[in-house]
Amino acid sequence: MKKSSRCVHAGSGMETHARGINTPIHTSSAFRYLDDDSQPYPRYFNTPNQAAVVEKLCQLESAEAGLLFGSGMAAISTCLLSHLSAGDHVVLQDQLYGGTFNLVMKEFERLGIDFTLAPSDAQSILTATRDNTRAIYLESPTNPLLTVVDLQRVAEGAAGRGILTLVDNTFASPINQNPRLLGIDLVLHSGTKYLAGHSDLSCGVALGSREVIDRVRASALNLGGCLNATDAYLLERSLKTLALRVLRQSDNAAQLARFLLGQEVVAAVYYPGLESHPTHGIARKQMSGYGAMLGFELKPGGVNPERFLRKLDMITPALSLGGVESTVCVPATTSHRHLSPKQRQTMGVADGLLRLSVGIEDVEDLQADILQALAG
């Protein structure tokens, strides 16, 4: 099946009693176990509602197995901690989601895990590896500058040395990019964003080979970051429209990126679909679409970012991203506020940078809202 069909049909469990076409919500936290070797239990990540979502996502990401978590950070932390021990080394990009950066800075030193933050290009990332490097952790496109990393080159370089590769694929979604097909070992998503897509769920997922996921599962059982049945059901419902939503959002974002380039008060636009973007060539090679996230900087001394946000009518200043409604934030004061000014400067996160998550509204309405806010 094509991706749009997989979104609708893959993994959905036919209900045999009333013959409904949707997967029933199994609200039980206790299941009969006699004559059932799987012994379902929510914290074991093997209940029917969890399994239905994982099967759908495995087919979308070309994975053998997966785990469904209560948040994207639960997925990220569990995957990293299941493969790293005291004395190990991990390479991460210097452009990271603020929550991941905070995890590394606050927890890894305490646990005796060494790390290197490398520039977000394949050669720098591979050069930063050492003899004791056990993992390479990537985001592509990155948050919030939308830098795209050559995943296949990193995967090939790491595979020859037995280094696990992990990619946060949240911004691209399975519709626009499939890292597993490029050789990446573990694909991660903050399902809170595009997978759920309606700004009403918190969830995360990890997908990979059965062998790698089994190792993650062993740690996940102890860390306990599972997702409840009702939220799993709502996530499965949302995934049925994933392709429709993401394709519309990506088309809107491409039009808005070019629209913003023409605004005199905008200093820079960050969108991998623009020919002027530094990593456009890589994006064109490994992505089927460029996504619905973009960043833009207002010229210093021109429009005040906070005043601009307050003048918007349709686009909502809000945390998180990936919903059907367009939202915007200033990363320096939201997603990256835990970083020092020097750390943000090193990552290229300027105080005047805005991150726009483009929704499914009519693009002309979005353009009009931006224009009136700039004028105001």
Side-chain angles (χ1 to χ4, degrees):
M1 292 187 290
K2 304 295 184 183
K3 283 185 181 179
S4 295
S5 300
R6 292 181 201 173
C7 287
V8 177
H9 295 288
S12 295
M14 290 296 182
E15 196 272 316
T16 57
H17 179 67
R19 299 197 296 174
I21 63 172
N22 291 322
T23 304
I25 304 175
H26 297 271
T27 56
S28 294
S29 59
F31 291 80
R32 296 181 179 90
Y33 74 92
L34 295 178
D35 302 318
D36 186 351
D37 291 337
S38 66
Q39 298 186 9
Y41 184 59
R43 189 170 59 80
Y44 294 170
F45 298 84
N46 64 351
T47 62
N49 289 107
Q50 293 168 339
V53 173
V54 167
E55 175 59 27
K56 193 181 292 288
L57 288 169
C58 280
Q59 291 203 32
L60 288 171
E61 285 284 22
S62 299
E64 293 179 351
L67 295 173
L68 188 59
F69 294 88
S71 69
M73 280 308 303
I76 291 167
S77 59
T78 304
C79 287
L80 286 171
L81 295 177
S82 65
H83 285 85
L84 296 171
S85 303
D88 289 342
H89 175 256
V90 56
V91 177
L92 309 103
Q93 291 167 266
D94 59 2
Q95 294 184 36
L96 282 178
Y97 164 58
T100 307
F101 187 87
N102 205 44
L103 166 72
V104 172
M105 291 298 175
K106 296 291 178 64
E107 304 295 339
F108 277 22
E109 183 177 354
R110 180 178 64 84
L111 297 172
I113 299 170
D114 198 8
F115 63 90
T116 298
L117 296 175
S120 295
D121 66 90
Q123 185 57 53
S124 297
I125 290 163
L126 292 171
T127 300
T129 59
R130 305 174 185 172
D131 291 340
N132 64 332
T133 300
R134 299 291 175 261
I136 294 174
Y137 181 91
L138 310 170
E139 291 180 24
S140 186
T142 61
N143 180 5
L145 297 178
L146 288 305
T147 302
V148 179
V149 182
D150 190 333
L151 299 181
Q152 184 170 1
R153 186 178 175 191
V154 173
E156 290 172 351
R161 301 181 55 188
I163 299 173
L164 183 82
T165 50
L166 307 89
V167 170
D168 183 340
N169 199 36
T170 298
F171 271 26
S173 88
I175 304 304
N176 287 323
Q177 181 174 263
N178 295 120
R180 288 277 301 157
L181 298 180
L182 300 170
I184 296 297
D185 297 308
L186 263 173
V187 178
L188 306 170
H189 287 274
S190 173
T192 310
K193 281 72 175 183
Y194 292 102
L195 303 187
H198 293 78
S199 303
D200 58 3
L201 290 177
S202 173
C203 52
V205 66
L207 303 157
S209 69
R210 199 167 304 280
E211 179 182 2
V212 171
I213 290 297
D214 281 347
R215 181 165 176 173
V216 176
R217 188 191 307 273
S219 293
L221 294 177
N222 297 324
L223 297 176
C226 60
L227 190 67
N228 67 76
T230 302
D231 284 355
Y233 165 80
L234 291 172
L235 177 58
E236 184 189 356
R237 173 215 61 182
S238 296
L239 286 170
K240 293 180 180 182
T241 61
L242 176 65
L244 286 174
R245 290 185 281 107
V246 169
L247 292 172
R248 172 62 179 263
Q249 289 168 300
S250 299
D251 183 62
N252 279 354
Q255 294 186 61
L256 279 180
R258 287 175 169 77
F259 164 78
L260 286 165
L261 277 178
Q263 303 307 309
E264 186 178 348
V265 295
V266 174
V269 179
Y270 303 96
Y271 184 68
L274 293 174
E275 292 78 4
S276 58
H277 192 277
T279 58
H280 172 71
I282 300 172
R284 190 173 63 244
K285 180 182 71 171
Q286 73 183 30
M287 300 180 73
S288 57
Y290 300 114
M293 296 299 303
L294 61 88
F296 64 100
E297 285 184 38
L298 298 172
K299 289 182 179 178
V303 178
N304 178 274
E306 184 174 342
R307 184 170 175 80
F308 168 75
L309 294 183
R310 293 184 182 277
K311 289 291 183 180
L312 289 166
D313 289 329
M314 176 182 287
I315 302 171
T316 306
L319 300 177
S320 198
L321 56 97
V324 292
E325 62 285 305
S326 295
T327 59
V328 65
C329 71
V330 178
T333 60
T334 57
S335 61
H336 291 64
R337 63 189 173 94
H338 294 298
L339 280 61
S340 68
K342 184 177 180 180
Q343 288 171 331
R344 288 197 296 269
Q345 183 180 12
T346 300
M347 294 174 67
V349 179
D351 290 342
L353 175 67
L354 292 107
R355 187 189 71 187
L356 180 58
S357 171
V358 183
I360 64 171
E361 304 96 337
D362 190 290
V363 71
E364 292 184 0
D365 290 333
L366 296 174
Q367 292 172 348
D369 194 27
I370 291 171
L371 281 178
Q372 67 81 24
L374 290 175

